[in-house]
Amino acid sequence: MKDMSELFWQASLEEIKQGFVFDNNTGEYICLLCGKAFTDGLIYSQDNQLYEARKYIEVHILRQHGSTFHYLLDLDKKLTGLTDHQKTILELFYDGHSDNEVAKALDTGSTSTIRNHRFSLREKQKQAKIFLAIMELLGARVPKKNAFINVPRNSKNIDDRFAITEQENEKILAAAFPQELHGQLATYPLKEKKRVAILRHIVKNFDSAKAYTEKEVNAILKELYEDYVLLRRQLIEYGFMDRTQDGSSYWIKL
């Protein structure tokens, strides 16, 4: 299965469809399919033609990946939810074949079978939209996962999933920061309870009386862990930090 980057999962639907994102901090267009970056303002040459970065990344995707459609279609079934048969049908549809031509290519002998496939795929699309809406509503409804942090230890509002003893906390941090507590993060575990403990420690690198730009936040987190984007996102998600809607200012939540 292809290794999907954190940047891919953070991208919007439109960005995934186009296959790239623009990073305002670095001024780069980044390919979501392979991670290659092209700097805005530079001119790139291909086959004796010159391209600005925005156009060149489209050329890159076409030459290196064929198309975003084919790249996504080729992902593992665990990610797409599609069978090999459905993938074949979708590829034939994408190439512009009629129902009759698809039926002949698949040797089904019936265009009505292909029409049924079209209908089933449209139903799957509708279900996906509804599921996305449900999950976004759920995400907006769930209380902050670290609600216990800013309340007294004996408060009934403490989320017991993330309440840990001092001994547990020391053990988690010792494993995550084997060199020194103020050094680099060696491992970022999948278990949420451990992540919360690590994030609570990481946030100490910021001044609670100061507002930071996204670039400043990234610079601090880069010193701790290579996937600084993941750390930045989770500091927000778990309520340790907050930011303006446009991401121009970040601050510690007290």
Side-chain angles (χ1 to χ4, degrees):
M1 183 167 63
K2 293 178 181 177
D3 182 23
M4 309 301 290
S5 70
E6 187 66 25
L7 189 62
F8 180 94
W9 296 118
Q10 291 179 25
S12 67
L13 179 59
E14 287 304 313
E15 288 171 332
I16 290 175
K17 285 164 58 180
Q18 70 184 10
F20 64 88
V21 295
F22 181 71
D23 189 329
N24 286 303
N25 293 308
T26 63
E28 294 176 323
Y29 291 95
I30 304 173
C31 178
L32 290 172
L33 314 186
C34 67
K36 194 164 185 179
F38 304 94
T39 303
D40 190 31
L42 294 185
I43 301 298
Y44 295 85
S45 175
Q46 183 71 57
D47 297 331
N48 297 319
Q49 285 190 285
L50 300 178
Y51 300 90
E52 293 183 348
R54 172 64 175 75
K55 181 61 179 178
Y56 188 69
I57 196 168
E58 295 178 358
V59 174
H60 161 78
I61 290 173
L62 182 63
R63 291 178 62 88
Q64 299 299 319
H65 307 292
S67 71
T68 307
F69 175 87
H70 288 97
Y71 178 90
L72 295 174
L73 193 66
D74 192 44
L75 292 174
D76 192 273
K77 179 182 177 181
K78 291 179 181 179
L79 296 174
T80 65
L82 297 169
T83 65
D84 290 339
H85 187 61
Q86 288 174 322
K87 288 183 177 182
T88 300
I89 292 173
L90 284 168
E91 189 165 20
L92 290 168
F93 287 161
Y94 185 80
D95 290 338
H97 294 289
S98 66
D99 290 350
N100 186 47
E101 290 171 334
V102 173
K104 289 181 179 179
L106 298 177
D107 197 23
T108 63
S110 172
T111 57
S112 62
T113 300
I114 303 304
R115 284 195 293 270
N116 286 335
H117 278 300
R118 282 190 186 273
F119 176 79
S120 297
L121 289 168
R122 290 194 186 102
E123 289 300 298
K124 190 178 183 73
Q125 181 184 27
K126 292 177 182 177
Q127 291 168 355
K129 285 183 177 179
I130 293 173
F131 181 71
L132 283 173
I134 289 172
M135 292 306 294
E136 288 190 8
L137 290 169
L138 175 63
R141 186 73 177 89
V142 175
K144 292 293 185 182
K145 295 179 180 179
N146 68 316
F148 67 96
I149 291 177
N150 295 319
V151 294
R153 181 168 289 277
N154 60 354
S155 171
K156 293 182 180 179
N157 293 324
I158 292 178
D159 190 331
D160 291 335
R161 292 176 301 163
F162 304 116
I164 60 175
T165 65
E166 193 64 35
Q167 185 176 8
E168 286 178 308
N169 188 64
E170 290 178 0
K171 185 177 180 181
I172 292 170
L173 295 182
F177 300 92
Q179 301 299 323
E180 57 175 334
L181 284 181
H182 298 292
Q184 286 194 326
L185 175 62
T187 179
Y188 192 52
L190 293 175
K191 192 172 181 180
E192 285 187 288
K193 189 173 184 178
K194 292 182 179 181
R195 286 192 167 190
V196 168
I198 292 170
L199 292 171
R200 189 189 302 131
H201 175 72
I202 286 176
V203 81
K204 295 176 182 178
N205 288 276
F206 297 89
D207 184 347
S208 60
K210 178 181 176 181
Y212 295 84
T213 64
E214 187 171 286
K215 188 174 182 179
E216 289 173 329
V217 173
N218 290 343
I220 292 172
L221 296 179
K222 276 182 182 179
E223 295 295 319
L224 301 175
Y225 194 54
E226 61 179 6
D227 196 349
Y228 63 91
V229 176
L230 172 60
L231 292 182
R232 189 188 70 218
R233 178 170 62 82
Q234 296 221 317
L235 284 169
I236 298 293
E237 287 181 351
Y238 284 94
F240 289 97
M241 296 188 79
D242 207 346
R243 65 177 181 179
T244 55
Q245 190 171 2
D246 63 0
S248 61
S249 183
Y250 289 72
W251 61 90
I252 300 301
K253 292 184 71 173
L254 299 176

